[in-house]
Amino acid sequence: MCSFNIPPIVLQLFLLLFLASPTTACTDEEKRNLLQFLAGLSRDGGLATSWRNNGTDCCKWEGISCNGDGAVTGVSLESKGLEGPISPFLANLTSLLCVNLSHNSFSGGLPAELMFSRSIIVLDVSFSRLNGLLPELPSLVTTDRPLQVLNISSNQFGSEFPSATWKVMKNLIALNASNNSFTGHIPSSLCIGSPSLALLDLCYNQLSGDIPNTLGNCSKLKVLKAGNNHLTGILPVEIFHTTSLEYLSFPNNGGLQGELNGAHIVKLSNLLTLDLGGNSFSGTIPESIGQLRNLEELHLGSNNMSGELPSTMSNCTNLKTIDLKINNLTGDLGKVNFATLQNLKSLDLMKNNLGGIIPESIYSCSNLTALRLSDNHFHGEISTRIGNLKHLSFLSLTENSFTNITKTLHALQSCRSISILLIGKNFMNEAMPPDETIDGFQNLQYLSVQHCSLTGRIPIWLSKLTNLKTLELFNNRLTGPVPDWINSLNHLFYLDVSNNSLTGEIPVALMEMPMLKSDKPAIFWDPRLFDLDLLIYAVDPSKLQYRINSDWCKLLNLGNNKFTGMIPQEIGQLKALLYLNLSSNNFYGEIPQSIGNLTNLQRLDLSNNHLTGEIPAALEILHFLSEFNISNNDLEGPVPTTGQLSTFQASSFNGNPKLCGPMLINHCSSVEAAPISIISAKKCSSNVIFVTAFGVFFGVGVLYDQLILFRYFG
Ligand SMILES: *[C@@H]1O[C@H](CO)[C@@H](O)[C@H](O)[C@H]1NC(C)=O
Ligand SMILES: *[C@@H]1O[C@H](CO)[C@@H](O)[C@H](O)[C@H]1NC(C)=O
Ligand SMILES: *[C@@H]1O[C@H](CO)[C@@H](O)[C@H](O)[C@H]1NC(C)=O
Ligand SMILES: *[C@@H]1O[C@H](CO)[C@@H](O)[C@H](O)[C@H]1NC(C)=O
Ligand SMILES: *[C@@H]1O[C@H](CO)[C@@H](O)[C@H](O)[C@H]1NC(C)=O
Ligand SMILES: *[C@@H]1O[C@H](CO)[C@@H](O)[C@H](O)[C@H]1NC(C)=O
Ligand SMILES: *[C@@H]1O[C@H](CO)[C@@H](O)[C@H](O)[C@H]1NC(C)=O
Ligand SMILES: *[C@@H]1O[C@H](CO)[C@@H](O)[C@H](O)[C@H]1NC(C)=O
Ligand SMILES: *[C@@H]1O[C@H](CO)[C@@H](O)[C@H](O)[C@H]1NC(C)=O
Ligand SMILES: *[C@@H]1O[C@H](CO)[C@@H](O)[C@H](O)[C@H]1NC(C)=O
Ligand SMILES: *[C@@H]1O[C@H](CO)[C@@H](O)[C@H](O)[C@H]1NC(C)=O
């Protein structure tokens, strides 16, 4: 049956109906209507067979429930693989109370007969591929309809969101129209027609215009969500009259603005979630927020908020999530006593103007799972007390002015859960701790210590990080070789040590990296690592395109160092590589033929070395190459005129006086005249499209330095 928990009346009704004499068989007329519904489908997912095999009493059919008079009261055919139109005959079942057709693959729209039925109280057609218009009020319908729950979410309904319909929906308690393509305004008639609404979810549509002040007429509203639309204007004062509100959620509309009025907000004392992220709100976070004692989630990220964090925030002891990233908050965090926030799991202050040292009280938040302080002006040393944060699995300190990397790493090794650690752009000109006593970090998957100008060598303690997948050490001043233990990092698939002063030849061990040799996908996300609501990411923008997809680019970047020697033949073993950069080193000798084995390569940079000989013909078959650079070497002979290499411009080949080819000043004397074939499946760049689509859908733009998303977090 249709189990449903909002209106208790419905349940009672059902109990009554089901306990009462269940023996009466269904009437012929009821049966006829059900068979008409079945006949209207183009695919029934085996329903016809099931019904046929279960006798003539339609009350005993799969998904059907009846009352004592043999009248059908419930149709629960969710996830039955039904296709084709929903037949209006269903509405001929005059005792029907509850219809659940969710998770099917219907075509066409929702019959007005069902929506304006004189009996149906629960109608769930979510996730059912319905499209077209939602029926507007037929002129014949003038009296109130009994409908209490309408779930049309996650379909493809488009066009204007209906406004007249609600005039006869006095009984409506829950309306979920999210994740469709509705346009137009939030109708101001909504809460006038349906004043009993407790749940209104309009998020993920294309609604525009202002938030109507009539929403304040829904005095029982608990859940109000209209995020990811194009709403503009301010939050009308009337909204703050609905004191039963538990979820007030308008994220990612972009255009909502104004200041949060402390005297207004404090009226919503039942608030659990306040989500206004991704808009244009300004002003300060009001002191009175401390009176919202039930508040669990505060999302004001990506707005234009300024001023200090109010110290009263420490009174919101139920807070689990604080998201204030990308604002203009200033001052010292020291005023807030975080020690009282024992439920805090996620604190995101990325990209503000906050300064001072990290207050000690943060280290008392023993449930903290994600802490992002990147891109602020924090300074000082990280206290050893950070080791108290046993659940911390994501930490980003990137782009502040923290000092003493040795102390920081020693302190963090007690954070046993840490899986992502991003500490780059701090610790300027310090020494990479060589220290063998650094231990722990068993769960670390992603370590970024980029752009610190650190001196020293690639330290031995890294060899203990056996779960490491991504290691970023670029933009430092590290010297010495790439150590031989590197191939013991069985999961490493992304190694960027570019722009250091590393020396020596490319070690054979590097040619043995298990993940770079194998086609096993480089899945960065381990869903078990995070609660869904904690997914967050911080990466370098230029590489964003590699990162968001679950299948990250397998990358080896040794560019801009002092490596020397020949490029080893064994490089051909790293078949999984999508990106290989050996540029700006002192490599000499020929380009090994075996590079032709790296058939997944999308970007290959061998420029600014001392490579000699001809371009190996084997490179022509690198069909996925979208970037190729061998400029400024001492190569000779013809550039291939067929295959992928012939598609690149002169800039890919310049600075090799002995090279000739049609794109160079230096034409070859006898040119092969094979046709140019261009095959390009740009896997890596298609991720950009993925990113954009994802960003648009979740309303999170691709931000310049950092950040990724998850609708549950952002
Ligand atoms: C309809 O069925 C789905 C799948 O079983 C269920 O999740 C949903 O809660 C049901 N709808 C209602 C209104 O009970
Ligand atoms: C209806 O018939 C199918 C066989 O087609 C059987 O699997 C199913 O259990 C029957 N359902 C009921 C409610 O008797
Ligand atoms: C049953 O529904 C169909 C389609 O809506 C309608 O044409 C027909 O008149 C209805 N029959 C009865 C007896 O109500
Ligand atoms: C549709 O919405 C109703 C009311 O919020 C809810 O009870 C039901 O579970 C939803 N259906 C699905 C499939 O989530
Ligand atoms: C509305 O439906 C969507 C699924 O389509 C669901 O994810 C969301 O939680 C529902 N909203 C509410 C407030 O229950
Ligand atoms: C939105 O609806 C589509 C189907 O139209 C579904 O695949 C997707 O999961 C829904 N998204 C959410 C967040 O419920
Ligand atoms: C941000 O807020 C400040 C005042 O705090 C205001 O002067 C400025 O115009 C706002 N910027 C935007 C883009 O809204
Ligand atoms: C941020 O606030 C500071 C100080 O209040 C101000 O000088 C600066 O212009 C603001 N920046 C933006 C982008 O609003
Ligand atoms: C870093 O911290 C350690 C431990 O507190 C201390 O011994 C050392 O002197 C500090 N280093 C610097 C450069 O301040
Ligand atoms: C190389 O790294 C240094 C820091 O060690 C940095 O200042 C410089 O800008 C980097 N160069 C490039 C080209 O990124
Ligand atoms: C390879 O590395 C060099 C030096 O770090 C950089 O300038 C160049 O842009 C990189 N090439 C590609 C294709 O990313």
Side-chain angles (χ1 to χ4, degrees):
M1 70 168 260
C2 197
S3 66
F4 172 66
N5 59 8
I6 288 189
I9 292 176
V10 182
L11 272 184
Q12 284 163 17
L13 215 60
F14 272 132
L15 280 178
L16 268 175
L17 294 168
F18 280 108
L19 294 175
S21 59
T23 45
T24 323
C26 84
T27 65
D28 281 351
E29 196 187 334
E30 298 280 273
K31 192 158 46 181
R32 223 176 7 254
N33 284 318
L34 283 174
L35 292 174
Q36 289 278 12
F37 164 74
L38 192 64
L41 299 170
S42 59
R43 264 168 196 257
D44 65 19
L47 197 59
T49 315
S50 161
W51 284 3
R52 204 182 310 123
N53 290 349
N54 286 288
T56 51
D57 181 2
C58 74
C59 294
K60 300 210 168 77
W61 288 353
E62 184 181 356
I64 305 303
S65 36
C66 296
N67 65 15
D69 301 328
V72 175
T73 54
V75 173
S76 297
L77 296 172
E78 61 269 16
S79 308
K80 289 283 188 266
L82 308 182
E83 294 180 23
I86 299 179
S87 159
F89 274 93
L90 213 49
N92 288 11
L93 299 163
T94 50
S95 301
L96 199 53
L97 297 172
C98 190
V99 178
N100 195 341
L101 298 174
S102 67
H103 293 281
N104 284 295
S105 302
F106 296 116
S107 47
L110 177 64
E113 290 86 346
L114 280 180
M115 190 151 149
F116 296 99
S117 150
R118 288 175 186 279
S119 64
I120 295 175
I121 50 181
V122 177
L123 180 55
D124 188 345
V125 292
S126 59
F127 296 97
S128 280
R129 306 227 183 132
L130 295 171
N131 55 42
L133 307 173
L134 191 66
E136 259 294 10
L137 187 65
S139 53
L140 289 174
V141 177
T142 48
T143 54
D144 282 343
R145 291 312 192 229
L147 195 62
Q148 295 184 8
V149 175
L150 178 60
N151 193 342
I152 52 171
S153 67
S154 295
N155 282 291
Q156 289 143 25
F157 288 113
S159 202
E160 194 109 342
F161 191 68
S163 57
T165 294
W166 318 111
K167 285 186 191 152
V168 295
M169 297 293 177
K170 188 147 274 147
N171 298 297
L172 204 60
I173 295 172
L175 171 57
N176 191 343
S178 68
N179 195 14
N180 280 287
S181 299
F182 287 115
T183 58
H185 296 186
I186 300 179
S188 55
S189 56
L190 196 55
C191 283
I192 297 169
S194 312
S196 307
L197 270 183
L199 182 155
L200 176 60
D201 190 345
L202 300 173
C203 60
Y204 296 103
N205 279 291
Q206 284 148 36
L207 300 170
S208 57
D210 290 349
I211 301 170
N213 56 12
T214 48
L215 284 185
N217 292 23
C218 283
S219 59
K220 298 185 177 128
L221 210 52
K222 282 188 173 169
V223 180
L224 175 56
K225 296 187 174 181
N228 298 85
N229 281 289
H230 312 298
L231 301 171
T232 49
I234 58 161
L235 290 181
V237 176
E238 289 79 1
I239 282 210
F240 299 96
H241 298 163
T242 56
T243 53
S244 47
L245 266 186
E246 293 173 3
Y247 296 85
L248 178 58
S249 175
F250 285 94
N252 304 318
N253 276 289
L256 292 174
Q257 50 169 301
E259 300 198 359
L260 292 184
N261 182 314
H264 291 158
I265 203 108
V266 72
K267 293 189 201 148
L268 304 181
S269 58
N270 292 303
L271 220 49
L272 300 173
T273 294
L274 177 62
D275 187 353
L276 302 174
N279 282 293
S280 305
F281 288 101
S282 56
T284 57
I285 302 174
E287 290 275 333
S288 66
I289 201 139
Q291 294 175 48
L292 304 180
R293 297 294 163 89
N294 297 314
L295 201 61
E296 293 177 359
E297 298 204 16
L298 176 64
H299 299 270
L300 297 172
S302 303
N303 278 290
N304 182 22
M305 306 292 295
S306 53
E308 302 195 350
L309 248 64
S311 60
T312 52
M313 205 174 256
S314 51
N315 297 335
C316 304
T317 53
N318 286 304
L319 274 172
K320 289 181 184 157
T321 305
I322 300 178
D323 167 13
L324 302 172
K325 64 173 176 275
I326 316 177
N327 276 291
N328 193 11
L329 300 171
T330 50
D332 206 309
L333 284 187
K335 284 172 66 183
V336 184
N337 180 11
F338 289 91
T340 56
L341 306 183
Q342 282 302 308
N343 294 300
L344 197 61
K345 292 185 84 175
S346 166
L347 175 60
D348 192 354
L349 301 173
M350 174 177 93
K351 205 162 161 40
N352 276 287
N353 279 316
L354 297 163
I357 58 168
I358 301 184
E360 286 280 314
S361 64
I362 283 190
Y363 306 127
S364 307
C365 299
S366 52
N367 286 306
L368 207 57
T369 310
L371 177 60
R372 182 155 66 176
L373 302 175
S374 51
D375 208 347
N376 277 290
H377 307 296
F378 293 113
H379 61 85
E381 297 186 353
I382 304 294
S383 161
T384 53
R385 288 190 61 210
I386 201 166
N388 295 349
L389 304 178
K390 298 294 180 210
H391 298 289
L392 195 63
S393 78
F394 177 99
L395 175 65
S396 175
L397 304 175
T398 308
E399 216 171 342
N400 281 287
S401 303
F402 293 112
T403 51
N404 204 339
I405 189 171
T406 306
K407 186 178 174 190
T408 301
L409 290 170
H410 274 281
L412 285 170
Q413 60 189 342
S414 307
C415 301
R416 296 283 165 187
S417 307
I418 211 151
S419 135
I420 297 174
L421 178 58
L422 313 172
I423 59 175
K425 296 202 174 181
N426 285 291
F427 316 111
M428 281 322 257
N429 299 309
E430 294 188 14
M432 175 66 91
D435 211 325
E436 285 199 44
T437 65
I438 292 184
D439 208 342
F441 297 120
Q442 280 85 2
N443 292 308
L444 201 58
Q445 295 194 23
Y446 181 178
L447 176 64
S448 179
V449 194
Q450 44 87 12
H451 211 116
C452 301
S453 295
L454 297 179
T455 57
R457 296 175 160 235
I458 298 180
I460 178 88
W461 54 268
L462 289 178
S463 67
K464 297 184 217 163
L465 312 187
T466 51
N467 283 304
L468 208 58
K469 295 179 173 174
T470 297
L471 177 59
E472 294 179 331
L473 296 172
F474 59 90
N475 295 2
N476 283 297
R477 295 189 285 149
L478 300 175
T479 52
V482 170
D484 277 333
W485 49 253
I486 195 79
N487 63 351
S488 66
L489 299 177
N490 284 329
H491 300 283
L492 196 69
F493 62 79
Y494 190 105
L495 176 63
D496 190 343
V497 294
S498 62
N499 191 22
N500 278 283
S501 298
L502 298 170
T503 52
E505 302 196 359
I506 298 183
V508 177
L510 199 52
M511 304 293 105
E512 302 284 344
M513 300 295 288
M515 280 304 282
L516 300 184
K517 286 167 76 176
S518 122
D519 275 338
K520 271 207 308 207
I523 306 286
F524 186 70
W525 302 104
D526 178 351
R528 286 165 307 174
L529 270 176
F530 297 95
D531 289 348
L532 268 186
D533 58 1
L534 282 175
L535 286 182
I536 19 174
Y537 265 78
V539 292
D540 175 338
S542 60
K543 295 177 190 133
L544 195 61
Q545 68 198 55
Y546 299 121
R547 301 305 189 75
I548 295 182
N549 206 333
S550 57
D551 190 4
W552 284 21
C553 275
K554 296 191 177 182
L555 172 147
L556 181 58
N557 193 347
L558 305 180
N560 204 6
N561 276 287
K562 294 180 173 148
F563 291 113
T564 182
M566 316 254 280
I567 301 175
Q569 276 294 340
E570 291 84 354
I571 198 132
Q573 293 168 189
L574 306 182
K575 291 192 171 63
L577 276 181
L578 300 189
Y579 179 107
L580 175 63
N581 195 337
L582 303 178
S583 80
S584 302
N585 280 289
N586 297 313
F587 292 116
Y588 54 81
E590 300 197 351
I591 300 175
Q593 286 279 351
S594 62
I595 286 196
N597 296 348
L598 309 183
T599 50
N600 291 313
L601 268 188
Q602 295 170 18
R603 294 164 113 196
L604 174 61
D605 195 341
L606 305 175
S607 64
N608 297 298
N609 281 293
H610 312 292
L611 300 170
T612 51
E614 299 204 356
I615 300 174
L619 296 194
E620 291 181 47
I621 59 167
L622 299 179
H623 296 310
F624 294 151
L625 265 191
S626 59
E627 245 182 283
F628 174 70
N629 196 346
I630 52 169
S631 64
N632 302 314
N633 278 290
D634 198 16
L635 297 161
E636 61 185 63
V639 171
T641 52
T642 60
Q644 192 69 3
L645 294 197
S646 61
T647 65
F648 294 101
Q649 314 270 315
S651 56
S652 294
F653 306 96
N654 280 339
N656 290 285
K658 287 178 261 171
L659 271 187
C660 65
M663 70 287 278
L664 298 173
I665 306 172
N666 206 0
H667 287 256
C668 304
S669 38
S670 76
V671 181
E672 307 165 40
I676 293 172
S677 63
I678 304 173
I679 308 168
S680 78
K682 291 173 185 164
K683 268 205 224 153
C684 240
S685 21
S686 71
N687 292 356
V688 178
I689 296 164
F690 176 81
V691 168
T692 313
F694 210 58
V696 168
F697 183 75
F698 289 109
V700 181
V702 175
L703 294 164
Y704 90 92
D705 70 337
Q706 301 200 342
L707 167 89
I708 314 208
L709 49 87
F710 207 64
R711 58 172 301 219
Y712 297 97
F713 188 92

